[in-house]
Amino acid sequence: MINVYAMQKGARNVETSDEIKENCWIDLENPSDKEIEDVCTKTGIPEEMLKAALDEEERARIETEDGTTLIIVDIPIINDESAWYVYSTLPMGIIYNEKYFVTVCLRETTVLGGFLSGRVRNFDINKKTRFLYQILYMNAIKFLHCLKQIDKTSNRIQQSLHRSMKNKELIQLLDLEKALVYFSTSLNANQVVIDRIKLVSAIKHYEDDNDILDDVIVENKQAIEMATIYRDIMSGTMDAFASIISNNQNIVMKLLAAMTICLTIPTVIFSLWGMNVPVPFQNSPYGFWIVIISTVAILVPVIIIMIKKNMF
């Protein structure tokens, strides 16, 4: 899908455009081959650059060719296809030249939503370097938001695991730990790209935009530290709660074993006196009660011993 946006000089609002024209923002969401071909024809951007970000395994990097700059960064995504949210990352391409600014991704992303809703201050499509920095900043903020959500979800799952003997909560923690690995890897790759931006001569740097780039560096490094800390905590938590689940199962098995012993004693005694052969007290009118009392006399001390051994 192709979305084209334009902004008049001095205006703050983004307007949807029906055609691709100079100084516009072209947003591609899982574009078809025909849509990519149309954008390449009208903007002069190489097709390889547009398709680079459509590879889920594409690494974050910067590339320049004939006045066109390609920047690929990893962005956080949230999948809600299962019973809980699954976090992952996906590459997003930012491509621009003197006349056009293009973003391309396999799916719709909330990283760009703030620009369309007007929540980003001093946003101007015509100022491409600032636009680039602002996208990187919003991406770092999105990572931080997802990391906080992962931490909250982890705390909620840990409360359930205190009483659980099932694998559901442990699988959820495993998904969160995997997400933190993806986040940590992607954030470090993004940091390399951000550091290289300062050194690429094809990107025009302006004094007024340096503060935004500094904020990008600070937020991204903070996200890296948070991802590392949460991943270490999650790894230790997984090991601890795996032991807790195993211990909970052992407690149940111990209780069942104690109950089995208590049920076995009367079963054995009653089975012996139920055989079709001569047995003691068979001719006594009190034989039934003698057997019952004898069974209780044996069973009560056994139960007392088990209680002292904490088997109940």
Side-chain angles (χ1 to χ4, degrees):
M1 182 173 67
I2 299 179
N3 298 309
V4 181
Y5 305 101
M7 178 182 289
Q8 300 296 330
K9 290 186 176 181
R12 294 184 178 181
N13 298 327
V14 177
E15 299 177 353
T16 303
S17 177
D18 296 329
E19 60 178 352
I20 297 176
K21 53 187 178 181
E22 293 186 5
N23 296 320
C24 68
W25 167 24
I26 306 169
D27 181 31
L28 301 177
E29 298 174 6
N30 193 19
S32 63
D33 291 338
K34 185 179 183 304
E35 290 173 336
I36 292 176
E37 183 179 351
D38 290 342
V39 173
C40 291
T41 302
K42 295 178 181 179
T43 63
I45 295 175
E47 183 176 342
E48 294 77 13
M49 286 189 174
L50 289 175
K51 290 185 175 181
L54 300 179
D55 181 4
E56 293 185 4
E57 305 299 326
E58 190 67 31
R59 60 182 178 85
R61 70 178 194 273
I62 296 180
E63 180 182 324
T64 59
E65 180 181 341
D66 299 330
T68 301
T69 302
L70 165 66
I71 300 167
I72 296 180
V73 294
D74 290 327
I75 62 173
I77 59 172
I78 304 175
N79 299 315
D80 57 355
E81 300 174 355
S82 57
W84 54 81
Y85 291 131
V86 178
Y87 297 85
S88 185
T89 60
L90 202 66
M92 180 180 70
I94 304 169
I95 312 156
Y96 69 93
N97 52 27
E98 289 292 336
K99 298 180 180 179
Y100 303 96
F101 193 100
V102 181
T103 55
V104 55
C105 190
L106 279 172
R107 56 181 289 181
E108 183 180 3
T109 169
T110 56
V111 172
L112 302 176
F115 298 97
L116 301 177
S117 61
R119 295 196 305 268
V120 180
R121 297 175 56 187
N122 300 322
F123 165 55
D124 191 344
I125 293 177
N126 301 298
K127 298 180 179 180
K128 298 180 175 58
T129 301
R130 178 182 297 180
F131 191 10
L132 167 63
Y133 292 168
Q134 288 172 329
I135 291 177
L136 296 176
Y137 179 78
M138 294 300 295
N139 188 38
I141 294 297
K142 184 63 178 178
F143 267 112
L144 288 171
H145 175 74
C146 289
L147 286 169
K148 292 177 181 178
Q149 292 300 317
I150 288 176
D151 185 48
K152 291 181 180 179
T153 304
S154 174
N155 291 334
R156 177 179 53 80
I157 295 173
Q158 289 176 31
Q159 295 298 322
S160 301
L161 272 172
H162 282 289
R163 304 177 300 275
S164 175
M165 293 175 294
K166 299 180 181 179
N167 292 328
K168 177 182 177 182
E169 288 80 6
L170 205 59
I171 293 174
Q172 285 182 273
L173 282 181
L174 180 62
D175 286 337
L176 293 180
E177 185 181 28
K178 184 166 64 175
L180 289 173
V181 173
Y182 288 147
F183 278 19
S184 181
T185 303
S186 297
L187 285 166
N188 281 290
N190 288 352
Q191 187 61 45
V192 173
V193 171
I194 293 170
D195 292 338
R196 282 203 59 200
I197 286 178
K198 295 181 177 181
L199 306 176
V200 176
S201 58
I203 299 177
K204 297 180 179 180
H205 301 281
Y206 301 93
E207 190 70 25
D208 295 341
D209 301 330
N210 287 339
D211 289 341
I212 302 177
L213 183 58
D214 291 339
D215 290 340
V216 172
I217 295 173
V218 170
E219 298 296 335
N220 198 76
K221 287 185 176 180
Q222 181 181 351
I224 292 174
E225 293 176 359
M226 287 178 61
T228 302
I229 293 172
Y230 290 164
R231 186 177 62 178
D232 292 342
I233 294 175
M234 188 75 67
S235 179
T237 301
M238 289 273 297
D239 295 339
F241 278 107
S243 300
I244 290 175
I245 290 178
S246 178
N247 186 60
N248 289 344
Q249 291 177 334
N250 291 337
I251 292 173
V252 173
M253 294 303 296
K254 183 174 70 173
L255 176 61
L256 292 176
M259 295 176 63
T260 301
I261 293 173
C262 294
L263 293 174
T264 300
I265 292 175
T267 300
V268 171
I269 296 175
F270 296 154
S271 297
L272 290 174
W273 259 265
M275 298 175 66
N276 296 323
V277 295
V279 293
F281 316 120
Q282 65 178 355
N283 297 320
S284 173
Y286 305 105
F288 174 78
W289 295 109
I290 292 173
V291 173
I292 293 295
I293 293 172
S294 300
T295 302
V296 173
I298 296 173
L299 187 59
V300 169
V302 172
I303 294 176
I304 293 174
I305 293 173
M306 287 184 175
I307 291 175
K308 290 182 178 180
K309 296 289 186 180
N310 293 322
M311 295 188 68
F312 285 103

